[in-house]
């Protein structure tokens, strides 16, 4: 990685911790314990962004100093800073002997220890699509053929998190069209609800009820991922989640499986993830993670298009439904 420290700061705007202050935004306060925990996740995102924005060469060493439970969020923030810098820089020819795109800041972040956070890096890169055209983000960044659709999830999260309840209500009024891009975007929006509502499941349910019926399972898939990856779900809130059934329960389990695989790939499955995955899928976290990993190659063999990504999600939901009996 050869970008200068000053150049990186010029290309990427600063991100104030105040922008992710949950109590200071139009978000609900939820349960105090949940809100405070989710706040630490958001601040880890800002810290990762700050470290990558500084343009230091030893970004992986600095991110390694962040506690494992929050490190994925820091990589997510670093990925946003890297993506913005790459998108603001004219394209360069690949370095001789390197993999295509690996001379970019985002490519550097995916190398070495960053490979363990490949899911979070793709999600973080997608935040750039909240301010730039999705096609530009999709075309310009060195993304994995299948996981690149997680960037679209990231874009949906950013819209919900920064837009708050007002933006979510406006998106809910849009008709349910047969558009897989908008479907995956809504999954990210659902994930943002866990932060916007600060872990209040009944409030999340009321938000989701405002969407067309066909999109509601996709929003719950995002909620399941956030619950299991970020944590902050009390026993009382789990009881509410476990009342879901049918397509919504399968989607919730699919999000949980994604979270389990992302945590396992990073080499650290915290207790809250293990407990939440078991509660939402009925199987151990390792088994749920296998649903995602074992079906990934089959999805990729179908091609790099979003339909393959959606097949992957549906296959995980099918396995979750079969496991539930």
């Amino acid at each position: 990685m050869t970008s200068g420290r000053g150049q990186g700061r010029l290309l990427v705007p600063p991100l104030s911790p105040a922008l992710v202050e949950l109590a200071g935004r139009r978000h609900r306060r939820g349960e105090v314990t949940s809100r405070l925990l989710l706040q630490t996740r958001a601040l880890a995102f800002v810290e990762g962004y700050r470290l990558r924005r500084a343009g230091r060469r030893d970004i992986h060493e600095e991110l390694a100093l962040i506690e494992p439970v929050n490190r994925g969020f820091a990589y997510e923030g670093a990925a946003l800073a890297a993506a913005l810098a790459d998108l603001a820089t004219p394209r360069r020819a690949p370095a001789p002997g390197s993999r295509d795109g690996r001379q970019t800041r985002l490519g550097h972040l995916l190398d070495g220890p960053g490979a363990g956070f490949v899911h979070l890096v793709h999600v973080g890169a997608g935040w750039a699509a909240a301010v730039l055209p999705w096609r530009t983000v999709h075309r310009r960044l060195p993304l994995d053929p299948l996981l690149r659709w997680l960037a679209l999830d990231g874009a949906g999260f950013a819209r919900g998190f920064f837009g708050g309840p007002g933006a979510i209500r406006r998106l809910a009024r849009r008709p349910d069209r047969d558009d897989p891009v908008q479907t995956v975007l809504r999954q990210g929006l659902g994930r943002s609800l866990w932060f916007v509502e600060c872990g209040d499941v009944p409030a999340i349910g009321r938000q989701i009820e405002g969407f067309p019926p066909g999109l509601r399972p996709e929003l719950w898939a995002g909620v399941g991922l956030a619950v299991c990856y970020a944590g902050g779900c009390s026993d009382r809130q789990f009881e509410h989640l476990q009342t879901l059934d049918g397509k919504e329960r399968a989607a919730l389990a699919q999000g949980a499986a994604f979270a389990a695989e992302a945590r396992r790939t990073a080499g650290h499955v915290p207790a809250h993830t293990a407990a939440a995955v078991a509660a939402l899928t009925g199987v151990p976290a390792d088994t749920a993670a296998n649903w995602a990993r074992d079906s990934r190659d089959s999805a990729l063999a179908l091609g790099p298009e979003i339909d393959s990504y959606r097949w992957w999600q549906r296959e995980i939901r099918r396995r979750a439904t079969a496991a539930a009996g």
Side-chain angles (χ1 to χ4, degrees):
M1 191 68 198
T2 58
S3 62
R5 188 176 301 179
Q7 181 189 26
R9 285 196 294 264
L10 287 173
L11 295 173
V12 182
L15 181 62
S16 169
L19 289 174
V20 299
E21 179 65 44
L22 299 183
R25 301 183 63 79
R26 296 182 301 279
H27 298 178
R28 292 173 59 87
R29 290 185 176 270
E31 296 184 4
V32 174
T33 301
S34 297
R35 184 177 76 249
L36 293 177
L37 184 144
L38 294 173
Q39 185 68 73
T40 67
R41 311 299 194 227
L43 290 174
F45 177 95
V46 173
E47 178 63 6
Y49 183 96
R50 183 191 69 80
L51 290 172
R52 178 53 266 180
R53 179 176 180 268
R56 296 186 176 90
R57 297 171 63 89
D58 57 351
I59 180 66
H60 293 298
E61 293 182 13
E62 296 197 345
L63 291 172
L65 298 177
I66 296 173
E67 59 181 333
V69 72
N70 286 327
R71 198 174 300 154
F73 294 95
Y75 265 94
E76 185 180 356
L80 172 58
L84 289 174
D86 285 339
L87 291 167
T89 304
R91 279 186 169 182
R92 293 168 288 175
S98 70
R99 289 176 288 169
D100 182 31
R102 285 305 197 238
Q103 80 284 8
T104 64
R105 296 166 182 84
L106 191 67
H108 174 67
L109 196 63
L110 283 164
D111 279 339
F117 298 92
V118 60
H119 305 86
L120 276 297
V121 170
H122 279 76
V123 169
W127 283 60
V131 294
L132 294 170
W134 162 247
R135 291 183 182 276
T136 299
V137 175
H138 190 257
R139 184 179 65 251
R140 287 281 311 278
L141 297 177
L143 303 176
D144 178 88
L146 186 63
L147 296 182
R148 62 178 174 164
W149 301 109
L150 282 172
L152 189 58
D153 184 297
F157 182 96
R159 290 185 187 183
F161 185 88
F162 288 119
I168 292 168
R169 285 193 294 270
R170 287 192 294 274
L171 287 168
R173 289 195 290 269
R174 295 185 181 180
D176 179 9
R177 295 175 296 189
D178 186 17
D179 182 351
V181 169
Q182 293 303 314
T183 296
V184 176
L185 194 78
R186 294 305 187 276
Q187 292 171 5
L189 190 69
R191 192 161 51 85
S192 77
L193 285 173
W194 188 243
F195 288 78
V196 171
E197 300 291 348
C198 288
D200 186 331
V201 175
I204 290 170
R206 289 191 291 273
Q207 290 272 25
I208 291 177
E209 283 298 311
F211 283 78
L215 288 174
R216 292 171 193 167
E218 309 311 324
L219 290 147
W220 282 115
V223 173
L225 200 164
V227 168
C228 296
Y229 194 92
C233 192
S234 67
D235 290 343
R236 184 162 63 94
Q237 302 301 335
F238 272 126
E239 290 174 3
H240 291 302
L241 287 172
Q242 288 168 333
T243 64
L244 296 173
D245 56 18
K247 290 182 178 180
E248 293 179 343
R249 184 59 181 267
L252 196 71
Q254 175 253 299
F258 266 27
E261 174 61 355
R263 284 291 192 184
R264 186 174 68 176
T265 300
H268 175 69
V269 180
H272 78 257
T273 295
V277 172
L280 298 186
T281 67
V283 300
D286 202 50
T287 300
N290 286 341
W291 293 344
R293 179 170 295 182
D294 293 349
S295 55
R296 177 180 171 179
D297 287 345
S298 296
L300 190 56
L302 297 174
E305 303 307 320
I306 195 168
D307 289 341
S308 302
Y309 181 78
R310 292 289 291 139
W311 179 90
W312 186 29
Q313 294 183 321
R314 288 192 293 269
E315 173 62 14
I316 295 170
R317 296 179 194 188
R318 185 192 68 77
R319 296 186 184 204
T321 300

